Amino acid sequence: MASFFEQSDRNVIPNWRSFENTTKMGEINGFEPAGLNTNFKPDISDLENDWQLDKNIGIAAELISLGSAFGIVSDTINEAGKFVLENKSQSSKELIRTASNFSSYNKQLGKASPEISDLNVFNNYNNLDLIFDQIRELKKRLIANPRNPISWIDLSRYYSILGQNDQARKSILNAVYLIPNNRFVLRSMARFFAHIGEIDMAHDIIRRQPITKMDPWLTATEISLASIRGRNSMFVKSGMNFIDSKKLSHFNLSEVASAIGTLEMTNGSHKKSKKLFQFSLQNPNDNALAQAEWAFKKDQNLGLIMPAQQIEENYFEAAARSFYDKKDWKGALENATQWFLDLPFSKSPIVFGSHIARTHLDDHQKAIELGKIGLISHPNDAILINNLIYSYCILDELTEAETLVNKYDNLAKTEHENIYWLATKGLFFFRTGFPDAGRHFYHLAIEDARKLKNKLVFNLAVVNYTREEIRINSEYADPLMSQLEMHLKGEENAAILKTKREIDEILKERT
């Protein structure tokens, strides 16, 4: 049986885009997206005036430090960096390294990598030309200048898209080593390690950086990582100080308000949570908006007033969730696809989109297409493989299903994942003409779901098993059908109800 999209928990972990797109989104320098105003930018005018009056190593060091920490790009800071590199005898090794790295950081501007805008890029794993070309180009840049942290980050992202996480890990740690107090580098690092399940690593790095307490974007990330890790954050007070100070724009505070709002919701403080979420929605970035959509769905008692304005560019996750709630399946699938293209290393949009295609649009070919794409970055993901086998079996493409069953039968799975796997093997054996083996695996799945006291998964296994017995008109069909109505009383899950309708159609055709 296919797993349906479940996201019982969501946290405000940063999205990870290319350097160019992150800049456009307004998340690099503290600027808002184009056309919006902000006051989140350290005022360095006094330092710049001092520099014009007296160009010395001390002032240069201050300028470079601020530029490095906050991603500020200016002619004065570039001049200060050049001054340090031309006067190495007067500079410390650390200052020379920082100046060199920041110079590389600035040179990366204007050398943007093309974004992935078409699913066809992923249709043939051996023909991922755009991604392979970018990896080659970034490697060339790094051979010429190995101290460019932005190139290391973008290289890590491309490796992640291909599921080459060892290479991605090395690349991202190189960037952290080169420029450890930079927002873009630290937020990219946090998303990568969260992506591969190493929350402790991400949290340990980000909570130790001095800039984390001074930057609301990083404060939000630390709070979310601490929450996932099951620890109390040291930075909640700092986050609230940002919000209460009213010195920063709503855009720059959207994630930190959302992160603390999520924490308050988890702790059962609805009043505080609602206030913080509403604050985050006054001018949200895409991550804060998606978090509010998730919170609204999870706990409608919050009474959130979702923004009425049209969702803007790159707000694909929030749009996908919103269309889904409105039962606009095509709109939800279209935005799930764009959500994936925006974050092509992420599994969530693939699972979400394939669930819509399979369950609501009855389009198993589309579900297969998305599932195969998901395997590029997650080649051993039990749920993606299980769902692919399910769709292949439903379409009677049994050769493809058998290949996956044989290849992944011994793949490590959680208890929850194993129930789906057992039921899907049951389906496979029914469809290949071995109903006794199919019954065996369905019974194992049903019993394991019963032991876990998971009614939803139990009902999903039962309704799938019943459909297969009815398809072959076996002696077990009538007894199962008589019990099914009792099991499904009050059931609202779309995947279960869809399978029940399939059963009704089979029975109707026989009468």
Side-chain angles (χ1 to χ4, degrees):
M1 65 188 182
S3 168
F4 47 87
F5 181 79
E6 295 179 278
Q7 192 172 41
S8 57
D9 294 310
R10 188 190 189 280
N11 287 278
V12 194
I13 302 300
N15 289 327
W16 184 14
R17 301 182 173 93
S18 67
F19 180 75
E20 181 194 25
N21 255 16
T22 307
T23 303
K24 287 179 180 178
M25 294 293 289
E27 297 176 8
I28 294 288
N29 303 335
F31 292 114
E32 311 226 6
L36 300 177
N37 296 317
T38 181
N39 55 5
F40 183 69
K41 185 179 179 183
D43 186 356
I44 61 170
S45 57
D46 288 346
L47 275 176
E48 289 181 317
N49 291 334
D50 290 346
W51 173 256
Q52 298 305 323
L53 294 172
D54 181 15
K55 294 179 173 61
N56 62 62
I57 290 295
I59 298 173
E62 289 188 68
L63 285 167
I64 295 167
S65 177
L66 283 168
S68 174
F70 290 93
I72 304 170
V73 178
S74 76
D75 291 340
T76 302
I77 295 177
N78 289 338
E79 186 182 348
K82 185 178 179 182
F83 181 86
V84 168
L85 296 176
E86 290 175 349
N87 294 274
K88 292 183 179 179
S89 61
Q90 303 175 42
S91 308
S92 67
K93 290 182 180 179
E94 180 62 26
L95 179 57
I96 293 169
R97 182 163 75 94
T98 302
S100 176
N101 293 342
F102 190 65
S103 175
S104 299
Y105 178 94
N106 287 343
K107 286 177 182 178
Q108 181 68 18
L109 294 171
K111 293 186 177 181
S113 302
E115 292 301 309
I116 299 168
S117 58
D118 192 338
L119 283 181
N120 288 327
V121 171
F122 299 93
N123 281 344
N124 183 345
Y125 181 79
N126 295 316
N127 194 34
L128 297 167
D129 292 340
L130 175 63
I131 298 172
F132 293 137
D133 287 348
Q134 288 312 301
I135 288 175
R136 283 190 288 269
E137 174 61 28
L138 286 163
K139 283 182 174 180
K140 287 180 185 177
R141 291 186 200 175
L142 287 165
I143 289 171
N145 183 3
R147 304 181 73 83
N148 189 324
I150 305 306
S151 288
W152 282 116
I153 291 289
D154 282 350
L155 180 62
S156 177
R157 185 171 177 270
Y158 280 115
Y159 277 136
S160 294
I161 293 169
L162 296 177
Q164 297 178 15
N165 291 329
D166 288 343
Q167 295 94 320
R169 180 191 183 96
K170 291 174 184 176
S171 299
I172 211 150
L173 287 177
N174 282 343
V176 173
Y177 170 76
L178 288 168
I179 188 165
N181 264 316
N182 178 267
R183 180 192 298 171
F184 175 70
V185 169
L186 288 174
R187 281 167 59 83
S188 300
M189 175 280 301
R191 180 55 186 260
F192 169 71
F193 282 112
H195 165 66
I196 63 172
E198 295 188 24
I199 296 295
D200 292 6
M201 180 74 165
H203 187 229
D204 284 344
I205 291 174
I206 207 162
R207 69 188 175 90
R208 292 171 181 164
Q209 303 307 321
I211 191 177
T212 300
K213 190 176 182 178
M214 300 184 292
D215 186 330
W217 295 88
L218 293 172
T219 299
T221 304
E222 191 282 333
I223 292 169
S224 296
L225 291 171
S227 179
I228 298 172
R229 198 176 182 182
R231 291 192 175 187
N232 293 324
S233 170
M234 301 183 297
F235 295 94
V236 173
K237 185 176 180 181
S238 298
M240 287 305 304
N241 286 340
F242 283 127
I243 295 167
D244 293 338
S245 70
K246 300 181 180 179
K247 293 180 180 179
L248 309 179
S249 72
H250 284 101
F251 177 77
N252 282 292
L253 296 175
S254 60
E255 279 199 13
V256 72
S258 182
I260 301 174
T262 302
L263 190 63
E264 295 290 356
M265 185 177 78
T266 302
N267 293 336
S269 180
H270 285 72
K271 186 176 181 180
K272 290 181 180 178
S273 179
K274 178 180 178 179
K275 182 178 180 182
L276 286 161
F277 273 122
Q278 288 298 167
F279 184 95
S280 76
L281 288 171
Q282 292 190 48
N283 188 11
N285 75 337
D286 67 310
N287 198 14
L289 184 59
Q291 188 72 6
E293 283 279 357
W294 165 83
F296 179 75
K297 183 74 179 292
K298 185 176 179 65
D299 187 356
Q300 295 188 8
N301 290 327
L302 285 175
L304 293 179
I305 303 172
M306 299 302 293
Q309 73 264 30
Q310 192 173 15
I311 293 173
E312 298 175 14
E313 182 182 1
N314 283 62
Y315 284 14
F316 303 123
E317 180 186 353
R321 291 176 180 277
S322 179
F323 279 118
Y324 187 90
D325 291 342
K326 295 171 185 174
K327 295 182 170 51
D328 182 342
W329 310 126
K330 289 184 178 180
L333 179 57
E334 180 181 341
N335 278 279
T337 302
Q338 293 302 316
W339 172 14
F340 168 74
L341 291 172
D342 189 36
L343 305 171
F345 55 86
S346 178
K347 184 178 80 171
S348 291
I350 291 293
V351 177
F352 187 73
S354 59
H355 166 71
I356 295 167
R358 182 177 57 250
T359 302
H360 299 291
L361 297 174
D362 201 24
D363 188 347
H364 285 276
Q365 286 293 357
K366 186 66 176 181
I368 288 170
E369 177 190 359
L370 292 173
K372 289 168 68 176
I373 288 170
L375 287 183
I376 293 173
S377 57
H378 295 79
N380 295 307
D381 187 86
I383 289 298
L384 290 177
I385 295 161
N386 174 86
N387 291 353
L388 270 171
I389 295 170
Y390 180 87
S391 286
Y392 278 133
C393 287
I394 294 297
L395 295 178
D396 287 324
E397 296 179 10
L398 301 176
T399 301
E400 291 83 354
E402 184 175 15
T403 299
L404 290 176
V405 170
N406 291 337
K407 187 175 181 180
Y408 294 103
D409 197 22
N410 295 319
L411 188 70
K413 309 169 191 72
T414 66
E415 273 189 309
H416 193 76
E417 290 169 346
N418 196 54
I419 296 172
Y420 288 103
W421 184 257
L422 290 170
T424 297
K425 283 184 71 176
L427 170 65
F428 171 74
F429 282 112
F430 264 104
R431 295 297 171 110
T432 51
F434 299 95
D436 286 340
R439 289 182 191 107
H440 169 72
F441 284 108
Y442 268 122
H443 289 162
L444 289 176
I446 291 167
E447 185 56 31
D448 284 354
R450 191 196 310 274
K451 287 178 182 177
L452 287 180
K453 298 180 180 179
N454 191 323
K455 184 180 178 182
L456 197 60
V457 176
F458 174 86
N459 283 350
L460 192 60
V462 167
V463 75
N464 273 270
Y465 171 45
T466 303
R467 180 194 58 209
E468 295 310 301
E469 293 285 15
I470 287 186
R471 281 185 78 255
I472 63 171
N473 201 18
S474 79
E475 61 187 293
Y476 303 102
D478 288 341
L480 283 169
M481 195 63 198
S482 65
Q483 296 175 30
L484 191 62
E485 297 296 340
M486 176 187 68
H487 288 310
L488 301 190
K489 188 176 182 180
E491 182 59 68
E492 296 179 354
N493 179 266
I496 293 173
L497 296 178
K498 176 181 181 293
T499 308
K500 176 60 167 60
R501 289 194 297 272
E502 291 172 4
I503 293 172
D504 293 338
E505 285 297 318
I506 295 170
L507 294 173
K508 184 178 178 181
E509 288 174 4
R510 289 182 184 163
T511 57

